[in-house]
Amino acid sequence: MEAKKHTPFLRRPVVQTLLASLICILLGLLIGYIALLLINPAGAWDAIVVIVKNFWKYSAQSAQLKYLGNTLVKAAPLLMCSLSVLFAYKVGLFNIGAAGQYVAGAGAALYCALGLHMPWYVCMLAGALAGALLGCLSGMLKAYRNVNEVISCIMLNWISLYLVNSLLTTVKDPTSPYTLNLAVANPGALIPSLGLEKLFTNNKYVTIAIPLAVIITVLIWVLLEKTKLGYELKATGLNKNAAKYCGMREKYNIILTMGIAGALAGIGASMYFLSGFEEWSCTQSSVPAMGFNGIAAAFLGGLNPIGAIFSSFFIQHITNGGAYVDKTMYCSQISDFISAVIIYLCGFVLFFKHCMNRFMDRREEKALRKEEQAK
Amino acid sequence: MTLLIQYMLIFASVLLLVALGGCFSEHSGVINIGLEGIMVFGALGGALVMKYLPDGASAATVIFLSIAAAMLLGMVYSLLLAVAAINFKADQTLVGTAMNLLGTAAATVFVKAMNTAENPDNVSSTIQYINAKKAFIVDLGGFEFNWFMLLALILLVVSYVLLYKTKFGLRLQACGEHPQAADSVGINVYKMRYAGVMISGLLGGIGGLVYITAGVSEWKFENGVAGFGFLALAVMIFGQWKPIRIALAALLFGLFRSLSNVYTGFDFLASLNIPSSIYNMLPYIISLVVLALTSGKSHAPKAEGIPYDKGSR
């Protein structure tokens, strides 16, 4: 029997996915740079450097760590949202409803914290359940009534936004559109930090949510790769009818997947709002961007949970960096622009991989031809 | 009552135009989720024209130029979807979502840069077109008739004829149902799909322009188009990809959407004391219920979403 063939470096799927993502990032940053040049050539280079540097722009290490902490506080919910999107994608469903499930989770968590005065873990559980409920609803509509999940998720996004806005109006500060500050109203609902904030120069928003997000990521990876359920879910996604033929319950799998995806987004929302970093604005007219950025992070990470950790951090890194651009010349939306360009380019990943394979094919052909000539 | 009908017709026009655009694209086989982004760009084009036209320009000039600009920008932006989905065989849902995010972000960056260049203190993303907007409205004894309503009706008739009574339309539909069969009789599937996507860009762009001029004289581009593009997608699916049914669905959804604006004017509804958030949610809840009831026998174009590969069977 032939010995196991050595797969060339560039043909390994992991390497190809990594390279493709890097190409997306570099091209996205380049296009962003060109956009900055078009707006105002004077400060374009500084602006793009500032976006990429984010917290490194501070020279003191204590300041760097503090702002790194801020980035991490937002990267954890983004990671959860990206897990939500990629988990559903494995079953062939595009969970654009991650934003709505995020909203539902935030609403449930904040209401439990401010209205029902529950401790943080109950609030987080409530957030997960609310997100799961919304996800299951989309899943049931898809499984039983064949409603396209993209449309049902968008509708549910808006419905949950209006519902949560009116629900949280009951627990908000009477003079402002924001909900009550957690530290004042119910400190028991704040996620504990167990000393982590000392690593980040006493940034009080850094909590155990961040390592928890990484743990959940690993659990999701184990679920997808090493369990029977994960195998069934992936099989349903690859070919629904074949899976059904093998006896897998595809309706149940669809609903379960959307439920888990919704729960993940809901946990992400709980992580963000129970850290006290931000309050919920009860008059916001559009769904928070965190859910949609989760789509970007999921695809940039190659639809792999471990990749999602790095891509979520990167997307949040440049989003936070965007806030530091010189406001007299540019606006902070430039980093939203760059993120959107990167997601657009992620659609070309298949093409990039195809190019890489063609390149390797031609190299092998050349090597073979040389061998033939040498004979 | 007239206000209700006014708003209903205007919102229905927006939904009709954008849903027709989505219909053309999907009939050719390309799923177009990026209608929101196309609407934003069309709106941007029209708004820029309206802002920069001199005050004395005639109504006809304003109308023609702003519609032309909206169509052009919408078409150019839809090329992003066309190239990615047709030439590079990208995942159409992903590209569409990216286009939505990109549209709002790009429009916001552009408008803010433009506003800041004019006046360093102005950091908003708003464009105003108070005078130019008046060109679109004709006052018919208390009822504000908007030329866009007529345009939507004309385009509806044109779309119906184009899709069902011309060679082009029938071939377009063939590319969405069974592109291999269409290719075998000599139809260039790539060109047809490009045509489908660009028509959707054209119609979506006009739809965006209509949306931002519906009842308001300025638009904050940071908001994008507030989810209207997705509502139009729901209209398209409810209308089963048929222009006449899409028009009826658009009227229904337009009615519910306008109710949230005008319900205070009806004593009967005001006395029911329903909170305003319910009215806001009503179009979306109705869409969900309607979709749940009608998607069972949904007949989407069979080959939509699958990138066409000449070599496959």
Side-chain angles (χ1 to χ4, degrees):
Chain A
M1 218 168 51
E2 242 182 50
K4 190 169 167 193
K5 252 176 97 171
H6 167 72
T7 337
F9 187 64
L10 266 183
R11 286 232 198 240
R12 297 207 191 129
V14 175
V15 174
Q16 283 190 343
T17 313
L18 206 66
L19 272 180
S21 296
L22 273 175
I23 296 177
C24 290
I25 292 177
L26 289 171
L27 273 179
L29 287 171
L30 180 67
I31 296 178
Y33 179 57
I34 296 176
L36 286 169
L37 276 176
L38 287 173
I39 298 175
N40 188 338
W45 180 250
D46 291 328
I48 197 86
V49 165
V50 145
I51 290 176
V52 174
K53 268 168 68 168
N54 186 14
F55 51 83
W56 273 309
K57 86 177 204 120
Y58 297 102
S59 39
Q61 202 192 28
S62 56
Q64 280 186 3
L65 284 175
K66 176 164 173 226
Y67 288 102
L68 169 61
N70 276 358
T71 307
L72 285 176
V73 168
K74 283 192 161 181
L78 183 61
L79 174 59
M80 298 305 294
C81 286
S82 72
L83 283 178
S84 170
V85 173
L86 83 83
F87 193 76
Y89 202 77
K90 295 286 181 192
V91 190
L93 300 167
F94 198 77
N95 185 19
I96 203 170
Q101 292 142 15
Y102 181 82
V103 168
L110 279 174
Y111 189 71
C112 279
L114 296 169
L116 303 174
H117 301 285
M118 296 282 183
W120 66 273
Y121 43 88
V122 177
C123 301
M124 197 175 256
L125 197 65
L129 281 175
L133 199 71
L134 216 67
C136 280
L137 196 56
S138 291
M140 281 193 278
L141 283 170
K142 171 83 182 183
Y144 290 110
R145 301 300 308 162
N146 192 26
V147 178
N148 185 314
E149 75 274 8
V150 173
I151 309 286
S152 69
C153 279
I154 302 282
M155 298 296 139
L156 285 171
N157 283 356
W158 287 96
I159 294 176
S160 53
L161 175 70
Y162 289 120
L163 272 177
V164 166
N165 271 353
S166 33
L167 177 69
L168 290 182
T169 313
T170 59
V171 288
K172 78 170 181 70
D173 186 349
T175 53
S176 82
Y178 289 96
T179 50
L180 300 165
N181 188 312
L182 268 179
V184 166
N186 184 0
L190 284 172
I191 304 179
S193 62
L194 294 180
L196 265 180
E197 81 266 20
K198 298 208 187 68
L199 286 175
F200 295 96
T201 339
N202 291 331
N203 183 337
K204 61 178 171 151
Y205 302 117
V206 175
T207 62
I208 60 171
I210 296 163
L212 186 64
V214 176
I215 294 175
I216 295 181
T217 310
V218 175
L219 284 175
I220 293 287
W221 181 83
V222 167
L223 174 68
L224 280 173
E225 299 294 322
K226 304 287 181 191
T227 65
K228 177 173 158 231
L229 176 66
Y231 187 82
E232 274 197 32
L233 294 180
K234 287 193 289 185
T236 313
L238 284 171
N239 191 330
K240 206 167 70 165
N241 293 321
K244 190 171 170 188
Y245 178 71
C246 288
M248 301 179 189
R249 304 160 292 177
E250 97 285 16
K251 287 199 171 66
Y252 173 78
N253 284 345
I254 290 177
I255 300 174
L256 181 66
T257 308
M258 287 303 286
I260 295 179
L264 288 168
I267 295 178
S270 319
M271 284 181 179
Y272 185 60
F273 287 99
L274 292 178
S275 68
F277 192 78
E278 208 180 279
E279 281 83 46
W280 180 270
S281 163
C282 298
T283 53
Q284 56 187 292
S285 54
S286 59
V287 187
M290 188 70 79
F292 295 113
N293 286 343
I295 301 179
F299 279 94
L300 190 60
L303 290 170
N304 179 298
I306 310 297
I309 299 180
F310 297 104
S311 60
S312 311
F313 180 75
F314 175 75
I315 300 243
Q316 196 53 50
H317 183 89
I318 56 172
T319 307
N320 275 26
Y324 292 124
V325 294
D326 188 338
K327 291 289 189 315
T328 58
M329 288 196 274
Y330 312 106
C331 57
S332 64
Q333 272 89 357
I334 191 74
S335 44
D336 293 331
F337 177 77
I338 295 178
S339 295
V341 171
I342 293 181
I343 319 179
Y344 178 72
L345 290 170
C346 283
F348 290 77
V349 156
L350 198 66
F351 174 70
F352 293 149
K353 290 190 184 175
H354 174 74
C355 286
M356 279 186 248
N357 280 328
R358 280 256 302 269
F359 172 70
M360 291 302 287
D361 283 342
R362 257 183 262 142
R363 261 179 57 174
E364 280 171 16
E365 266 186 43
K366 265 196 207 161
L368 272 175
R369 229 179 290 144
K370 272 201 187 139
E371 266 185 49
E372 294 281 313
Q373 282 177 351
K375 280 192 189 157
Chain B
M1 188 62 172
T2 41
L3 214 59
L4 176 70
I5 298 191
Q6 229 174 272
Y7 272 118
M8 178 177 97
L9 285 178
I10 261 285
F11 284 132
S13 308
V14 178
L15 290 172
L16 174 63
L17 285 166
V18 184
L20 278 177
C23 173
F24 269 98
S25 170
E26 300 219 353
H27 267 303
S28 77
V30 177
I31 300 181
N32 191 349
I33 305 272
L35 286 168
E36 284 239 337
I38 296 176
M39 277 175 80
V40 171
F41 261 70
L44 181 66
L48 285 174
V49 161
M50 286 198 283
K51 178 179 156 128
Y52 285 116
L53 272 182
D55 272 341
S58 72
T61 329
V62 174
I63 296 179
F64 282 122
L65 281 182
S66 50
I67 291 181
M71 286 199 317
L72 192 65
L73 241 72
M75 267 206 293
V76 166
Y77 193 63
S78 69
L79 277 177
L80 280 177
L81 172 67
V83 167
I86 300 171
N87 286 47
F88 292 98
K89 309 202 182 4
D91 184 277
Q92 291 161 14
T93 321
L94 175 65
V95 173
T97 312
M99 279 170 64
N100 290 339
L101 299 169
L102 187 59
T104 311
T108 310
V109 168
F110 181 79
V111 175
K112 279 196 174 180
M114 190 181 73
N115 280 345
T116 320
E118 281 181 4
N119 174 3
D121 290 325
N122 184 359
V123 289
S124 74
S125 57
T126 318
I127 295 187
Q128 291 183 328
Y129 32 84
I130 308 172
N131 285 324
K133 192 204 132 150
K134 298 196 187 124
F136 291 106
I137 303 181
V138 171
D139 200 350
L140 294 176
F143 177 77
E144 267 190 17
F145 175 77
N146 194 319
W147 285 116
F148 283 128
M149 300 175 193
L150 185 63
L151 182 65
L153 189 63
I154 295 176
L155 283 173
L156 169 67
V157 174
V158 167
S159 302
Y160 180 80
V161 168
L162 191 66
L163 211 49
Y164 293 116
K165 308 284 180 195
T166 62
K167 242 179 6 184
F168 169 76
L170 292 170
R171 289 181 177 183
L172 190 82
Q173 291 188 63
C175 292
E177 299 286 343
H178 201 302
Q180 279 82 11
D183 191 28
S184 71
V185 292
I187 302 173
N188 187 332
V189 177
Y190 297 117
K191 264 201 207 154
M192 279 295 173
R193 287 190 167 183
Y194 260 97
V197 177
M198 285 174 73
I199 294 178
S200 80
L202 193 149
L203 291 170
I206 304 179
L209 175 60
V210 181
Y211 186 64
I212 62 168
T213 55
V216 293
S217 301
E218 63 169 30
W219 189 257
K220 191 172 177 198
F221 277 88
E222 261 174 287
N223 296 334
V225 277
F228 230 63
F230 290 109
L231 211 55
L233 275 177
V235 167
M236 179 186 76
I237 297 182
F238 181 35
Q240 287 293 298
W241 294 270
K242 298 186 172 74
I244 306 292
R245 292 207 200 171
I246 288 179
L248 293 172
L251 279 172
L252 180 72
F253 284 36
L255 173 67
F256 282 106
R257 179 69 176 79
S258 65
L259 259 183
S260 68
N261 282 25
V262 301
Y263 73 96
T264 46
F266 290 93
D267 297 324
F268 163 67
L269 287 174
S271 63
L272 283 178
N273 252 332
I274 303 175
S276 69
S277 51
I278 302 279
Y279 283 106
N280 282 333
M281 288 194 275
L282 212 51
Y284 304 104
I285 300 180
I286 301 283
S287 318
L288 259 187
V289 170
V290 149
L291 284 171
L293 294 173
T294 61
S295 294
K297 295 208 207 94
S298 188
H299 292 303
K302 235 180 267 153
E304 72 165 6
I306 307 172
Y308 176 61
D309 185 3
K310 255 195 175 193
S312 60
R313 273 160 136 284

